[in-house]
Amino acid sequence: MPVHPALSFSTALFASTVVALRRAGCVFAEDEARLLHEAAASPDGLSALVERRAAGLPLEHVLGWAEFHGRRYAVDPGVFVPRRRTEFLVAQAAALAPRRAVVVDLCCGSGALGVALAAASEAAELHACDVEPAAVRCARRNVGELGQVYEGDLFGPLPAALRGRVDVLLANVPYVPTGDVELLPAEARVHEPRVALDGGGDGLDVMRRVAAEAPAWLAPGGSLLVEASERQRDTAVEVLRAAGLSPRVLVSEELYATILVGTAANSPFEDHPKR
């Protein structure tokens, strides 16, 4: 996206933007200032954007997009913003996906994860769903003709014909324990839907529901991938094992990300050929 000519040569305007963002507590004020200058069509428009950001609105909601896995995705106000650490989940899913994979993205939010994986794996089919109407509207814009987006709770709205056919099941479920939600930064706590953050008492309630149903939807050797915190990993492993899936834990120290992979029977990790 080009910088608007009216704003590109105003050093004073850029400097004042940086100062305003720093006063608002923005750690990466200069980087954010550049993005806001790109997005603004006029000084008045820039002022409005800076005011929204200084008031605590997530930068992605101010801009109307988030960068994820090398691509920009539309992110509307009230929609969960994809985190950079979740790029690790997508990378691991792409490594597991067979060519022309059938991909399902549960709790899809903006749809960024499913689209990124579909592009990386040359997916034959992409299906995504979310319980939040705002997220569904946003995901439909991002997914476009790449796949189908459904509104509803977890597996509920998915076509029955997908049962037993899913190669990769992404489930970026909420995993913040209820008691910890109020400790989250205001950007998340105030501006993102609670249903996308609150994972119940120990943070794993939604993961348990997904894991329990996943085997009926996964193809032989198919995998469920979920994100969790480091302190939840042992319990999450047992959740996957109890559902009949073969669990593994993968960690990225760089991205501070912990993911769990639950693989269905007839898996290459169980010395069986994948279909």
Side-chain angles (χ1 to χ4, degrees):
M1 183 184 296
V3 177
H4 292 281
L7 305 181
S8 58
F9 300 107
S10 175
T11 303
L13 186 58
F14 180 80
S16 67
T17 301
V18 172
V19 169
L21 294 174
R22 283 179 177 160
R23 285 176 178 168
C26 299
V27 177
F28 302 104
E30 291 192 0
D31 292 338
E32 292 193 12
R34 291 188 185 93
L35 292 171
L36 293 174
H37 273 244
E38 285 183 7
S42 68
D44 286 344
L46 175 64
S47 178
L49 294 177
V50 173
E51 286 181 9
R52 295 176 70 202
R53 179 62 180 131
L57 200 69
L59 176 66
E60 294 83 0
H61 289 166
V62 174
L63 296 172
W65 56 265
E67 185 167 339
F68 183 80
H69 215 263
R71 176 174 170 175
R72 291 181 177 182
Y73 294 89
V75 179
D76 298 328
V79 175
F80 183 81
V81 176
R83 277 38 169 184
R84 181 168 177 260
R85 65 172 175 268
T86 308
E87 293 180 358
F88 181 61
L89 185 148
V90 171
Q92 299 305 312
L96 288 171
R99 189 172 179 275
R100 308 295 292 166
V102 176
V103 173
V104 168
D105 183 4
L106 291 185
C107 305
C108 69
S110 66
L113 276 66
V115 173
L117 177 58
S121 63
E122 299 181 6
E125 294 182 45
L126 170 60
H127 302 266
C129 61
D130 201 286
V131 73
E132 281 285 311
V136 171
R137 290 192 296 270
C138 189
R140 284 178 175 153
R141 289 161 56 198
N142 288 318
V143 171
E145 297 181 356
L146 287 175
Q148 298 293 320
V149 181
Y150 312 91
E151 181 179 335
D153 185 41
L154 300 181
F155 298 94
L158 294 178
L162 281 175
R163 294 175 72 89
R165 296 184 53 239
V166 179
D167 295 300
V168 180
L169 174 57
L170 300 175
N172 193 27
V173 300
Y175 59 89
V176 179
T178 300
D180 292 348
V181 172
E182 295 306 315
L183 304 178
L184 293 173
E187 288 185 9
R189 175 170 40 82
V190 176
H191 297 287
E192 293 182 319
R194 177 129 186 168
V195 70
L197 303 170
D198 191 340
D202 66 353
L204 300 179
D205 285 0
V206 183
M207 184 186 297
R208 289 185 178 91
R209 293 178 57 205
V210 171
E213 292 192 54
W217 294 86
L218 290 172
S223 293
L224 162 67
L225 292 94
V226 294
E227 199 171 74
S229 69
E230 175 63 23
R231 67 179 179 177
Q232 294 168 324
R233 60 184 290 174
D234 292 343
T235 303
V237 163
E238 292 308 314
V239 167
L240 297 182
R241 184 173 287 123
L245 300 172
S246 178
R248 292 183 297 135
V249 178
L250 300 171
V251 176
S252 169
E253 299 291 347
E254 176 188 359
L255 295 176
Y256 198 62
T258 299
I259 67 168
L260 293 101
V261 180
T263 305
N266 193 26
S267 150
F269 301 105
E270 298 176 336
D271 298 322
H272 293 292
K274 189 174 177 63
R275 67 179 180 85

